[in-house]
Amino acid sequence: MRLVYLNQKGIAQQKLAEIFLSCGIGERIPTFTDLQKELKVGIGTIQTAIKELEMNGIIQLQAQQRYGTILTGKSTKELWKFLSKRYVVGLFPEPLSLEMRGLAMGLREVMDDLDIPLVIVYGYGSKVRFDRIVNRPTREDFVISSLESARHRQKADEALAVSLRFGANSFYAADSLVILDNIRSEDKEMRKKIVGIDYNSYDHMLLTQAAFPDADYVNVRYGEIPFESLSGKMDTVVWHQTTPVHFPEDMIKARKFESVIPDFDIDSICEAVLSINRNNRLMTGIMESIDVEKVIDIQKKVLNRELEPIF
């Protein structure tokens, strides 16, 4: 671990590290005059601190006539060591599925590669998770959700930015969405179906209303669906089943979601994304260094039972 002393150069390097982490590759860095105003140290101290970062290969700069100085390269791993904040906090859905467990493991692995500890916090309902990062200040740095949920929230909050996309079936494997029918309900008189719906989950609400537009809804927490399905309070419910839940065959029947509405476009619901507050420039810069392909590879290995998820 790099020792940072509280002298003028150390203070300058600590603040410069955050500035360079927040700056994207190819972007112009602030002028020495602007840096002096922000850091409140002399220009000589700033020049010395930057030169040392360059000599150690931590940043690469290129001066361009009439444009300023461009950041052409940086080591996120080395710059992070200068910061007083030593971790990143990610808000995830509850880890009920292999997709979420694999994604959590993958993100932790790539953050470890950068020597940035990832603290994983679970937030029930995408609305709750988005509220935490769009209403700053907050301790959380990013949110995991479906692409559909993020796009829906962006209509109301311009501060929300989708920073990373993890590709098809990274949130839900499309063929793992099922309908759970309570067999005992089939013998009841003809009436509207009573359908379980989680209004705190935008994805579940969207899927349920698409599959059962003409139904009486009863609110149910998504994580409690397997148990509530056996209670008889509802006739049917949408569920995601990559981690098998074994129901008594004489009580619950599972069928593929696609069999109900085969033409329903679920691509944006099935893709996982990482969203940040676009005003959080530090996280914007760090996300440039995330190895998305490695995250996806680890998630696939978890889904294929090649890795036991640890996160």
Side-chain angles (χ1 to χ4, degrees), residues 3-45:
L3 295 177
V4 179
Y5 298 98
L6 295 179
N7 55 23
Q8 290 291 298
K9 186 183 73 173
I11 293 171
Q13 284 181 324
Q14 193 174 63
K15 293 180 179 179
L16 283 168
E18 184 168 347
I19 290 170
F20 289 134
L21 280 169
S22 303
C23 186
I25 302 299
E27 290 185 9
R28 181 174 58 184
I29 69 169
T31 65
F32 282 119
T33 302
D34 291 336
L35 288 172
Q36 185 183 30
K37 291 178 181 177
E38 184 172 349
L39 275 59
K40 296 181 173 54
V41 297
I43 288 180
T45 299

Side-chain angles (χ1 to χ4, degrees), residues 243-276:
T243 306
V245 178
H246 299 287
F247 297 97
E249 294 182 0
D250 61 338
M251 298 180 68
I252 301 295
K253 178 176 64 179
R255 53 196 169 110
K256 294 292 185 181
F257 180 87
E258 293 175 345
S259 67
V260 179
I261 41 175
D263 296 327
F264 184 69
D265 183 8
I266 60 173
D267 290 349
S268 61
I269 292 178
C270 291
E271 179 176 358
V273 298
L274 183 153
S275 300
I276 62 175

Side-chain angles (χ1 to χ4, degrees), residues 282-296:
L282 179 60
M283 286 309 301
T284 301
I286 289 172
M287 287 302 117
E288 282 189 338
S289 300
I290 296 297
D291 187 346
V292 174
E293 292 302 317
K294 182 173 180 178
V295 175
I296 295 171

Side-chain angles (χ1 to χ4, degrees), residues 53-67:
L53 292 173
E54 285 189 279
M55 290 177 62
N56 288 324
I58 297 173
I59 60 169
Q60 291 84 49
L61 301 175
Q62 181 179 339
Q64 293 189 356
Q65 192 174 9
R66 298 181 181 177
Y67 187 73

Side-chain angles (χ1 to χ4, degrees), residues 163-180:
S163 184
L164 302 177
R165 293 177 58 169
F166 299 101
N169 301 321
S170 52
F171 195 74
Y172 291 133
D175 61 356
S176 67
L177 289 168
V178 296
I179 306 291
L180 301 180

